[in-house]
Amino acid sequence: TQLLEQSPQFLSIQEGENLTVYCNSSSVFSSLQWYRQEPGEGPVLLVTVVTGGEVKKLKRLTFQFGDARKDSSLHITAAQPGDTGLYLCAGGAGANNLFFGTGTRLTVIP
Amino acid sequence: DAGVTQSPTHLIKTRGQQVTLRCSPISGHKSVSWYQQVLGQGPQFIFQYYEKEERGRGNFPDRFSARQFPNYSSELNVNALLLGDSALYLCASSFQAGRGSEKLFFGSGTQLSVL
């Protein structure tokens, strides 16, 4: 079983602060995706990283894939209330099924 | 264009009953995947279908089954419901069945409660 552990599990910060969430595994993944899920909705894809060491930026969000393709991080600069949600990492390994982490629930307080 | 649509949105069943959940993928998408998300956890892969054939199966009992129709819509069936089957069932569609890096589009899910 390929497990993805995310930390922290819960995070509550003030608007304007920076934060980093982590996604770690003992398994190597061919790709890793980050999703954000809001209550009552399905996850929405934010980014896919496929190359070890790859860094991708999406406005105030910066995603990094570890050199060994076993871990990833998501850094948010100057968090806003609209960033509130459940952040999920998901690893792909061969087939089209994804292994999801347990998620980081982020709350940004205005 | 419509996104992935799932029906019903909410469902309440009792133990031992059977349930059928439905999913319509985005127009042009040929792959449908099903995931189970228990409260407080990330989604867990159940099935993937591509061009009406099963391409992948997660670690779920035989009580779970699915199929894909010629129009690429899909149904997930769960027999002999248990309390532990209570969860949000998500359907995701993609254009192809790739290598785990294919972009998935999720529906809003069906919230199943088993009493």
Side-chain angles (χ1 to χ4, degrees):
Chain A
T1 302
Q2 294 166 295
L3 297 176
L4 281 165
E5 295 184 355
Q6 291 189 240
S7 61
Q9 198 172 355
F10 299 94
L11 187 57
S12 182
I13 61 171
Q14 295 290 328
E15 181 177 359
E17 293 184 349
N18 301 331
L19 67 113
T20 302
V21 298
Y22 300 92
C23 173
N24 294 293
S25 175
S26 58
S27 301
V28 175
F29 291 98
S30 58
S31 65
L32 198 135
Q33 298 181 336
W34 283 92
Y35 291 80
R36 182 171 69 206
Q37 185 177 21
E38 299 186 25
E41 300 293 331
V44 175
L45 179 66
L46 298 173
V47 76
T48 300
V49 286
V50 296
T51 305
E54 182 177 2
V55 176
K56 280 192 174 179
K57 291 190 175 184
L58 183 65
K59 296 184 180 179
R60 295 175 294 100
L61 279 60
T62 302
F63 305 85
Q64 184 163 8
F65 201 11
D67 290 341
R69 290 186 287 132
K70 293 183 179 180
D71 56 84
S72 181
S73 64
L74 159 60
H75 181 79
I76 301 179
T77 303
Q80 299 177 0
D83 296 327
T84 293
L86 178 67
Y87 288 82
L88 295 159
C89 64
N96 205 39
N97 54 297
L98 293 175
F99 295 93
F100 278 86
T102 51
T104 293
R105 190 165 297 279
L106 171 66
T107 302
V108 182
I109 303 168
Chain B
D1 286 341
V4 178
T5 57
Q6 292 187 243
S7 63
T9 55
H10 296 81
L11 201 53
I12 299 175
K13 292 285 188 177
T14 57
R15 281 180 298 174
Q17 286 189 312
Q18 175 265 342
V19 68
T20 298
L21 311 181
R22 296 176 176 83
C23 172
S24 293
I26 291 172
S27 178
H29 284 191
K30 300 179 180 179
S31 176
V32 170
S33 299
W34 288 95
Y35 287 81
Q36 180 196 64
Q37 186 174 23
V38 174
L39 188 63
Q41 297 183 16
Q44 190 171 358
F45 174 72
I46 310 175
F47 286 111
Q48 190 218 8
Y49 278 79
Y50 178 70
E51 290 280 17
K52 294 164 286 183
E53 292 187 358
E54 182 182 303
R55 287 295 189 94
R57 172 186 284 254
N59 188 25
F60 280 81
D62 292 343
R63 299 185 296 108
F64 288 77
S65 63
R67 55 180 175 169
Q68 187 177 32
F69 299 99
N71 66 353
Y72 302 111
S73 67
S74 177
E75 286 183 352
L76 175 69
N77 296 284
V78 187
N79 294 322
L81 285 167
L82 303 174
L83 296 179
D85 295 331
S86 296
L88 179 68
Y89 287 85
L90 294 163
C91 172
S93 78
S94 60
F95 182 66
Q96 294 179 339
R99 296 185 176 182
S101 59
E102 191 77 16
K103 184 173 183 177
L104 296 183
F105 295 82
F106 283 86
S108 297
T110 294
Q111 184 66 55
L112 172 65
S113 298
V114 182
L115 306 179

